[in-house]
Amino acid sequence: MASSRQVAEMSDNAKAFDSRMIAPALLDWYDRHARDLPWRTGPEALRNGVRPDPYRVWLSEVMLQQTTVAAVKSYYRRFTVTWPTVESLAAAADDDVMAAWAGLGYYSRARNLIAAARKVAEASGFPGNAEGLRALPGVGEYTSNAIAAIAYGEAVPVVDGNVERVVSRLLALAEPVKSAKSLIRETVAAMTPLDRPGDFAQAMMDLGATICTPKRPACVLCPINDRCTAFLAGPDPATLPVKAPKKERPSRLAAAFVAERATDGAVLLVRRPPSGLLGGMAGPYVTEFSSKKDGATGEGAAPFSADWVDCGTAEHGFTHFLLTLEVMWAQTPHGADLPPGAFWCPRERLAGEALPTVMRKAIAAAIPDAFNSGKI
DNA sequence: CAGCCGTGGAA
DNA sequence: TTTCCAAGGCT
């Protein structure tokens, strides 16, 4: 925890810091070094009066929540080709959207994406400001402000993880970002220029992603290092922001039962409940995840009686626990009593199903060529 | 409010 | 190899 003396120093830093001096140098740097990303309208196009499409800005921002640029690119392209407008996305079948999202993670985002698209289509357009955007499902304070700043030029503070890190170093904050949230927001609000709020927000994020990185920041290349308290006076910028102690991830155990239809190799899938872990996604029948010691696995946990073959285990790391899946395989027995909601997925459709990565791992452990058949 | 909610790539 | 964590939101 921060001592009162540290907090006093932090406040002095914040007070002495002239936030208005940041934007000019940062925007000058951005004009020369902005990353070329699929969802961006370049600074040059913006000067020529081109306005970003709020649909594309929204879609990219939702995809980018806790997700790397590299991971998002191919998904963003696929979505915008398949659904070029919010109306087309609103008209899509739920499972088509979930299938297109499969592998990107945090699947509640896809559910909220569908709900928000339909709300926008019903209203004949996106809300015209940050406050209205904030009311869409899956759009929180960061995302609403990012969309408003980028698409509408609204001068609202855009604070993401990059910005928190950059500001923590600019002010040499001795507090964890969680408890400095209000100060950071106010600082960013004061830094944001009225004329180019969207470019400023993206410039801050580019800086955080390429220069002011978490572990080894390239301070010597930073366009605002002459205004950075940590760089100028310490502590070492790499030690900021102060992080809360991390908790260890528990291990859990479950069993996956991959049933294959003898006649054609189709795989039995079940639709998972709409909320919770992997909500709304498909997968083989999987037992409840339990603590490692009392995990009810083995043939006794099977959804129906069959000659289950042990295929070994599949490991998968979730955000808050590590999962070991005991994978079992069996051909469909005659007259099997299938789990409720189960359906047979033809082999050639497996790759296109709404299967999370962990479920693909389980299926691949039981049927090594499950996702290869159908391809040449 | 602290815990839940995925994944894959970088270091 | 293991660890860390990325343009957060929801409850």
Side-chain angles (χ1 to χ4, degrees):
Chain A
M1 69 182 85
S3 69
S4 57
R5 180 168 168 274
Q6 285 174 311
V7 171
E9 288 174 354
M10 178 272 297
S11 298
D12 287 344
N13 288 339
K15 185 180 293 184
F17 182 79
D18 189 345
S19 51
R20 292 165 304 179
M21 300 302 292
I22 296 298
L26 188 63
L27 285 169
D28 180 64
W29 171 82
Y30 183 71
D31 287 338
R32 289 177 285 117
H33 297 291
R35 288 179 292 174
D36 183 17
L37 302 173
W39 45 87
R40 272 191 183 168
T41 303
E44 187 177 342
L46 289 176
R47 281 193 296 277
N48 292 333
V50 176
R51 302 309 308 171
D53 178 356
Y55 167 63
R56 294 186 172 233
V57 176
W58 162 71
L59 178 62
S60 68
E61 289 300 341
V62 171
M63 286 184 167
L64 287 162
Q65 289 167 2
Q66 296 290 287
T67 308
T68 59
V69 165
V72 164
K73 281 183 178 176
S74 64
Y75 284 85
Y76 174 82
R77 290 199 191 93
R78 198 172 313 129
F79 266 73
T80 51
V81 167
T82 308
W83 302 293
T85 64
V86 68
E87 290 80 11
S88 60
L89 181 60
D94 288 31
D95 192 45
D96 287 343
V97 179
M98 300 309 287
W101 196 278
L104 198 55
Y106 286 136
Y107 298 101
S108 67
R109 292 184 296 172
R111 287 253 164 246
N112 286 330
L113 195 79
I114 296 168
R118 291 174 183 162
K119 192 171 177 181
V120 169
E122 181 71 19
S124 299
F126 277 88
N129 56 39
E131 184 184 354
L133 291 163
R134 177 72 177 76
L136 296 174
V139 177
E141 182 177 341
Y142 161 76
T143 303
S144 64
N145 287 4
I147 298 169
I150 295 169
Y152 304 146
E154 187 176 343
V156 284
V158 177
V159 183
D160 74 329
N162 285 306
V163 176
E164 288 176 345
R165 182 172 61 257
V166 170
V167 172
S168 293
R169 292 169 178 173
L170 285 175
L171 302 186
L173 295 184
E175 270 185 300
V177 285
K178 178 160 290 186
S179 53
K181 194 173 181 63
S182 178
L183 173 61
I184 292 174
R185 189 196 304 109
E186 294 312 310
T187 301
V188 173
M191 291 193 300
T192 301
L194 296 177
D195 56 339
R196 297 177 64 187
D199 284 347
F200 177 75
Q202 293 177 95
M204 287 286 279
M205 292 187 277
D206 275 18
L207 187 74
T210 64
I211 304 286
C212 197
T213 53
K215 291 177 181 175
R216 300 189 62 178
C219 296
V220 66
L221 301 177
C222 180
I224 52 176
N225 60 11
D226 62 336
R227 301 283 171 179
C228 180
T229 307
F231 176 71
L232 296 173
D236 181 354
T239 66
L240 299 175
V242 176
K243 293 177 183 64
K246 38 199 170 267
K247 303 153 190 171
E248 63 179 278
R249 289 193 294 180
S251 293
R252 296 187 187 282
L253 183 64
F257 293 88
V258 181
E260 182 174 355
R261 192 160 61 185
T263 51
D264 62 350
V267 176
L268 190 68
L269 299 180
V270 297
R271 182 74 53 195
R272 300 177 62 81
S275 62
L277 187 70
L278 309 177
M281 303 298 283
Y285 175 83
V286 176
T287 60
E288 279 195 29
F289 304 156
S290 57
S291 62
K292 191 111 186 173
K293 291 179 180 176
D294 60 358
T297 62
E299 207 159 333
F304 51 81
S305 176
D307 292 327
W308 294 103
V309 177
D310 191 335
C311 301
T313 60
E315 308 278 340
H316 189 76
F318 289 95
T319 303
H320 53 294
F321 66 93
L322 298 171
L323 178 66
T324 299
L325 270 182
E326 181 179 300
V327 180
M328 308 292 283
W329 170 89
Q331 296 228 309
T332 327
H334 179 69
D337 187 15
L338 303 183
F343 62 98
W344 290 104
C345 181
R347 186 68 66 86
E348 65 273 16
R349 284 197 217 150
L350 208 52
E353 261 295 338
L355 293 169
T357 298
V358 61
M359 298 304 179
R360 289 176 192 258
K361 285 183 184 177
I363 293 170
I367 310 172
D369 67 339
F371 298 101
N372 296 328
S373 55
K375 296 180 181 177
I376 299 176

